[in-house]
Amino acid sequence: MFQAFKEWFWLERFWLPPTIKWSDLEDHDGLVFVKPSHLYMTAPYAFLLLIIRYFFEKFIATPVAKAFGIQKPVRKIIPNTILENFFKNSSRPLQTDIYGLAKKCNLTERQVERWFRRRRNQERPCRLKKFQEVCWRFAFYLLLTIAGVVFLYDKPWAYDFWEVWSGYPRQPLLPSQYWYYMLEMSFYWSLTFSLGSDTKRKDFLANVVHHLAALSLMSFSWCANYIRSGTLVMIVHDVADIWLESAKIFSYAGWKKTCNALFLIFTVVFFITRFIIFPLWILHCTLIMPLHYLEPFFSYIFLNLQLLILQGLHFYWGYLILKMIKRNILQKNFKDVRSDEEEEEEEEEEEEGKEEATKGKERNCLKNGLGTNKHLIPNGQHGR
């Protein structure tokens, strides 16, 4: 049964233009052609990248974070069995629950609220972890962009899109194309594998869809030998991402003006690449130009369907970017709109800081023998 499915799945009519057979893409005369089996290597390469990422975050990203003054916070709370058992079921108790828990634990309601706030913060990733993640993504997007430029600068199809379809599908595989695809696909596999441990953001589901769509698109373009158009799609997307990750690096470091400037650069690059170059040039290259050479066939339709889905995701992220600019940049207060938890954590940490400051003032007042109404407290009755 499996063999029958395999034979059906790899039928030439699903992958290749009419009259073209898989035998036409066998290696000959020193020319190497793409093979689906090449993609098996992306899995071990992805795990290798996860190992490299671990050491990168430990020995490069962490020292850089310390240089920016980003430290791992110490989030200690007083152990409380009753509150801990309640927290396992609900991390946000209602006001009636707080009242009952305060009675059980012999605490004030304010102390119970503070305990739950600090306990929630223990479950959230700290700023250092977020900084390590964006440092890794920035470094690899930069590597991919440089690799893309190096691999494509002397290729004729990077300047003349008609060359993308010259001789298709009998186009041999170049070593630069192989390694560009391996790097890109392995990186997205590694991002997919680490989604469960990375910082959860508002667009988590969109990220899952994006990673799987990107992997599906690259895998399909590989198997159907759309390598030339595939490399163009990859470089167009990678060139903008480095600006976003660099903006977030400086956001976590507290360099708001630098962050805002980099984010505005990212916005310009994003809208140029995603809403001008990609639809007007790349989609035109994959959707319109092939019709001058070939009749529409299944893989041509499926390839462009995936590219259109990708363009739909561009509209979603474009909406988030415009929302971010309206909400934060214009107010000179950049935050990643994809992270509700991050904003909430900052607000709670700020509130805790205000509480600590208030306590410090009260202690100073008590130490100096002054109450809130600035009258002397008689007979040293500071504890009442």
Side-chain angles (χ1 to χ4, degrees):
M1 182 177 178
F2 176 76
Q3 185 64 28
F5 173 78
K6 182 178 178 181
E7 291 177 358
W8 171 83
F9 183 79
W10 291 110
L11 286 175
E12 283 94 346
R13 61 189 177 90
F14 291 151
W15 300 89
L16 302 174
T19 73
I20 302 295
K21 305 295 183 183
W22 287 117
S23 57
D24 296 327
L25 301 181
E26 292 180 355
D27 300 346
H28 63 271
D29 300 329
L31 300 178
V32 178
F33 292 86
V34 296
K35 299 177 180 63
S37 59
H38 290 158
L39 299 181
Y40 294 151
M41 290 304 298
T42 58
Y45 287 153
F47 285 107
L48 178 61
L49 285 181
L50 290 175
I51 296 173
I52 295 173
R53 173 180 173 174
Y54 170 80
F55 289 103
F56 175 89
E57 291 182 353
K58 183 175 182 180
F59 296 108
I60 297 179
T62 301
V64 171
K66 290 181 178 178
F68 279 117
I70 302 173
Q71 301 290 339
K72 186 174 183 179
V74 179
R75 295 169 175 170
K76 294 182 179 180
I77 61 172
I78 300 174
N80 189 304
T81 304
I82 296 175
L83 298 182
E84 184 65 33
N85 290 334
F86 189 94
F87 181 85
K88 292 178 180 178
N89 297 320
S90 175
S91 62
R92 295 184 178 276
L94 301 175
Q95 192 60 40
T96 54
D97 297 324
I98 293 175
Y99 177 80
L101 291 170
K103 290 293 184 181
K104 288 182 181 180
C105 300
N106 196 25
L107 298 171
T108 66
E109 294 181 30
R110 191 61 173 167
Q111 288 174 324
V112 173
E113 290 175 350
R114 187 181 302 117
W115 189 95
F116 274 94
R117 181 169 58 247
R118 291 176 176 175
R119 183 65 181 85
R120 286 194 299 269
N121 282 338
Q122 282 189 330
E123 298 296 313
R124 295 193 181 101
C126 63
R127 188 178 298 272
L128 176 60
K129 175 176 172 57
K130 298 171 187 175
F131 185 88
Q132 291 170 334
E133 291 176 7
V134 298
C135 272
W136 167 250
R137 291 197 297 269
F138 167 77
F140 212 87
Y141 279 128
L142 180 61
L143 173 64
L144 289 173
T145 302
I146 294 173
V149 172
V150 171
F151 293 157
L152 289 172
Y153 84 97
D154 61 343
K155 304 300 186 295
W157 59 84
Y159 309 97
D160 181 4
F161 286 171
W162 290 105
E163 288 293 324
V164 170
W165 301 103
S166 177
Y168 176 83
R170 298 183 181 90
Q171 298 170 338
L173 175 66
L174 303 177
S176 60
Q177 294 172 321
Y178 173 85
W179 285 112
Y180 192 21
Y181 258 80
M182 291 299 109
L183 281 173
E184 193 88 26
M185 292 190 66
S186 301
F187 178 61
Y188 276 105
W189 273 122
S190 69
L191 291 181
T192 304
F193 296 154
S194 63
L195 277 173
S197 58
D198 286 346
T199 304
K200 295 292 188 300
R201 299 188 184 277
K202 188 189 302 183
D203 64 346
F204 174 82
L205 181 59
N207 265 323
V208 174
V209 174
H210 173 268
H211 295 344
L212 294 179
L215 287 166
S216 172
L217 176 59
M218 287 185 283
S219 299
F220 183 83
S221 66
W222 181 273
C223 294
N225 205 17
Y226 293 116
I227 303 297
R228 294 184 180 181
S229 58
T231 53
L232 296 176
V233 172
M234 291 190 293
I235 188 64
V236 164
H237 285 75
D238 292 337
V239 72
D241 291 331
I242 56 176
W243 298 103
L244 175 62
E245 302 303 334
S246 62
K248 287 193 280 189
I249 285 176
F250 286 99
S251 174
Y252 292 133
W255 293 32
K256 299 302 180 183
K257 291 183 178 179
T258 305
C259 166
N260 290 343
L262 289 170
F263 185 79
L264 290 175
I265 294 174
F266 160 74
T267 302
V268 173
V269 176
F270 180 91
F271 278 90
I272 290 175
T273 55
R274 262 68 162 189
F275 294 102
I276 297 178
I277 296 178
F278 185 78
L280 300 183
W281 294 356
I282 304 299
L283 278 178
H284 181 267
C285 173
T286 61
L287 193 60
I288 305 301
M289 289 184 176
L291 299 180
H292 292 269
Y293 297 94
L294 306 162
E295 292 293 326
F297 55 101
F298 180 82
S299 69
Y300 158 82
I301 297 171
F302 191 66
L303 171 72
N304 286 285
L305 178 63
Q306 293 183 92
L307 292 176
L308 291 172
I309 293 174
L310 191 59
Q311 183 61 30
L313 287 172
H314 294 166
F315 283 109
Y316 172 77
W317 269 295
Y319 162 75
L320 284 184
I321 291 169
L322 293 177
K323 180 180 177 181
M324 188 183 303
I325 292 175
K326 180 180 178 181
R327 176 181 172 185
N328 298 314
I329 295 293
L330 297 180
Q331 299 173 3
K332 300 181 179 180
N333 182 28
F334 172 82
K335 291 178 183 177
D336 191 346
V337 298
R338 302 178 306 160
S339 181
D340 285 339
E341 289 188 354
E342 180 183 322
E343 294 180 6
E344 179 184 351
E345 180 181 355
E346 290 177 353
E347 290 172 1
E348 291 181 348
E349 287 177 352
E350 182 180 351
E351 185 177 344
E352 285 188 3
K354 290 179 180 178
E355 288 180 4
E356 293 299 327
T358 302
K359 285 182 180 179
K361 290 180 180 179
E362 290 176 354
R363 283 194 294 267
N364 289 335
C365 290
L366 292 173
K367 185 176 180 180
N368 295 327
L370 293 173
T372 56
N373 57 0
K374 298 188 182 294
H375 293 308
L376 291 175
I377 300 176
N379 301 324
Q381 296 175 0
H382 304 300
R384 298 183 184 178

